[in-house]
Amino acid sequence: MITLHGFPASNYYNIVKHALLYKEVPFQEELIFAGSDALLTVSPVGKVPAITTDDGVTLSESSVICDFIEETYPDTPLYPESATERAIVRQIMKIAELYFELPSRRLIPYVFSGTEAPDAVKEEVRQVITRGIPALNRLCQFSPWIAGKKLTMADIYMHYVNVVVKACASTQLDWDILAEIPGMKEWNDTMTQSDIAKKIEADRVANMPEFMIRVKAKMQAANAQ
Ligand SMILES: N[C@@H](CCC(=O)N[C@@H](CS)C(=O)NCC(=O)O)C(=O)O
């Protein structure tokens, strides 16, 4: 059985967890937080998520794990059959990560510490997201799913990217970013209402207190140096 290593407060972890649940692949969860030696044994750069496969191989990087899950468990597909359509799904995922997720993540330390990011950082983040918006406007169909008639990995990916966009970029930049992409908010609401997303959200909320204790300890240790 696959073991999913990481912690439910992580949105990257939840992308993989959502895909496993959607495809009804049996898996067990092992709670490991970032910064632990245990994580380094399963994830070479010490990032969450990682999995241990049925064959005992460890893999990290959410998009790589998603591809592996799809190829190993092709039932209930999350990618289209045609290579072109699959590439379009991956293109949406890549743009969501590079132009929405990663710039938004730069603001996480300020959100956690309850401080305001410096203007220069905010401006850099704003510029990257501004570049992503027309790209996602062009690529996202919302008819009813992101890449068309069928739910794909791009729906799962974007849904958890939006968690970070809303919590970090929108709050720090005072900017309703999802509103810049017509259809995104309505689609996001639909995604939130699925039983899988509700379970993942409940697990995330339950994990937050322990996660925040670790974040605060890390911030205190950094401030003491
Ligand atoms: N590119 C990685 C990013 C994963 C990532 O940044 N995970 C966060 C948790 S949400 C983490 O492990 N952070 C710890 C760190 O950066 O040291 C992926 O797609 O899996």
Side-chain angles (χ1 to χ4, degrees), residues 7 9-13 34-35 39 45-49 60-63 97 101-102 105 157 218:
F7 54 95
S10 155
N11 69 325
Y12 279 114
Y13 178 89
L39 184 57
V45 289
K47 290 212 178 195
V48 163
S60 65
E61 290 299 324
S62 56
S63 53
E97 180 172 28
E101 169 86 34
L102 294 179
R105 273 189 169 263
Y157 208 86
K218 215 168 155 184

Side-chain angles (χ1 to χ4, degrees), residues 45-157:
V45 289
K47 290 212 178 195
V48 163
I51 62 165
T52 302
T53 68
D54 293 341
D55 303 329
V57 175
T58 54
L59 294 172
S60 65
E61 290 299 324
S62 56
S63 53
V64 172
I65 297 171
C66 287
D67 280 357
F68 170 81
I69 293 167
E70 180 73 9
E71 283 168 22
T72 314
Y73 303 93
D75 291 348
T76 323
L78 274 168
Y79 288 94
E81 259 179 52
S82 104
T84 307
E85 287 175 14
R86 274 202 303 278
I88 290 169
V89 165
R90 292 196 173 104
Q91 185 184 14
I92 295 170
M93 291 163 65
K94 182 68 104 179
I95 288 172
E97 180 172 28
L98 294 179
Y99 295 92
F100 264 39
E101 169 86 34
L102 294 179
S104 300
R105 273 189 169 263
R106 291 192 59 194
L107 301 168
I108 287 180
Y110 306 101
V111 173
F112 283 163
S113 62
T115 57
E116 206 177 323
D119 285 346
V121 174
K122 284 197 213 173
E123 193 42 40
E124 281 175 28
V125 170
R126 194 188 305 275
Q127 277 182 22
V128 180
I129 293 176
T130 299
R131 201 157 176 190
I133 287 170
L136 289 176
N137 263 321
R138 236 175 87 182
L139 294 169
C140 294
Q141 296 186 28
F142 307 120
S143 59
W145 305 110
I146 281 220
K149 287 196 178 75
K150 286 191 179 157
L151 185 139
T152 65
M153 200 67 90
D155 292 281
I156 295 175
Y157 208 86

